[in-house]
Amino acid sequence: MKRLAFAFAFACALAAALSAHAVEYTQVQADKSSIQFTYKQMGVAVDGRFKRFSSQIAFDPAKPAAARAAFDVELASVDTGAAEGDEEVAGKAWFNTRAFPTARFVSGSVKALGGNRYEVAGQLSIKGRTQDVVVPATFTAQGNSGVFDGSFTIRRADFAIGEGSWAKFDVVANDVQIRFRISAAGK
């Protein structure tokens, strides 16, 4: 009986010690995070980024299926590398930021793929149009912080990004690669 009681006490102590090391990452560190994009204009790759976005995440590496994430990107914070480009892209034919100030991604599920790789399925909404997307991402723990890196491709036509004379893909390609690096502190 003493052995059973000792084994039970040891198992409880071990479980408590292991759970004390479990970290849930919930506090996004905006100054260490970024959302960038690349598209082709006349066959040449052009990079840009969004300067402002907000996010809510909850991620425990021990329970990835319970993870949640939501991102709101201020489309008027677009940085194409040129002020006139920023103004053009914020305009009605492209993002139409007056009518649609934000893009939003909300996760629906997270699947662990092994080796710190994950597949995040969710919905992306831009300009009043919503599409299902699957986002591959990696996670790297760095002390009490964690970093999520990933990229995925959208088609601008799916979201009416580039209307009128810009709806064709001869000058600006349809595919846009989105890259992100999100740093979050754990608790």
Side-chain angles (χ1 to χ4, degrees):
M1 184 71 160
K2 281 186 175 182
R3 282 187 188 179
L4 183 59
F6 176 75
F8 179 73
F10 179 74
C12 288
L14 181 60
L18 290 175
S19 67
H21 293 329
V23 175
E24 183 175 32
Y25 299 90
T26 58
Q27 299 167 343
V28 173
Q29 300 167 314
D31 61 325
K32 297 178 182 177
S33 300
S34 65
I35 298 177
Q36 302 174 340
F37 58 89
T38 300
Y39 63 96
K40 287 193 177 180
Q41 184 168 333
M42 299 177 67
V44 177
V46 179
D47 294 323
R49 68 185 180 106
F50 292 98
K51 296 184 271 187
R52 290 185 301 279
F53 60 92
S54 61
S55 53
Q56 304 81 41
I57 65 168
F59 178 75
D60 178 346
K63 302 174 190 171
R68 299 177 319 280
F71 291 86
D72 291 299
V73 178
E74 292 182 36
L75 296 175
S77 76
V78 67
D79 180 358
T80 63
E84 66 185 39
D86 299 348
E87 188 176 314
E88 175 70 28
V89 172
K92 189 172 183 178
W94 293 96
F95 286 139
N96 193 3
T97 59
R98 287 187 184 193
F100 305 101
T102 59
R104 181 167 177 78
F105 172 80
V106 178
S107 67
S109 66
V110 176
K111 179 181 174 184
L113 301 176
N116 292 330
R117 295 178 306 117
Y118 299 88
E119 192 172 76
V120 183
Q123 293 193 316
L124 177 63
S125 299
I126 305 172
K127 287 184 73 175
R129 297 182 181 204
T130 301
Q131 296 282 322
D132 291 328
V133 296
V134 177
V135 180
T138 60
F139 172 76
T140 306
Q142 298 176 346
N144 199 35
S145 294
V147 176
F148 302 87
D149 285 300
S151 68
F152 61 103
T153 300
I154 64 168
R155 291 194 172 107
R156 63 184 183 87
D158 291 344
F159 300 97
I161 301 169
E163 297 181 62
S165 62
W166 293 108
K168 295 180 182 178
F169 309 121
D170 54 344
V171 176
V172 178
N174 193 25
D175 289 351
V176 179
Q177 183 186 44
I178 311 294
R179 294 178 317 283
F180 61 88
R181 174 173 218 131
I182 306 298
S183 180
K187 61 174 186 169

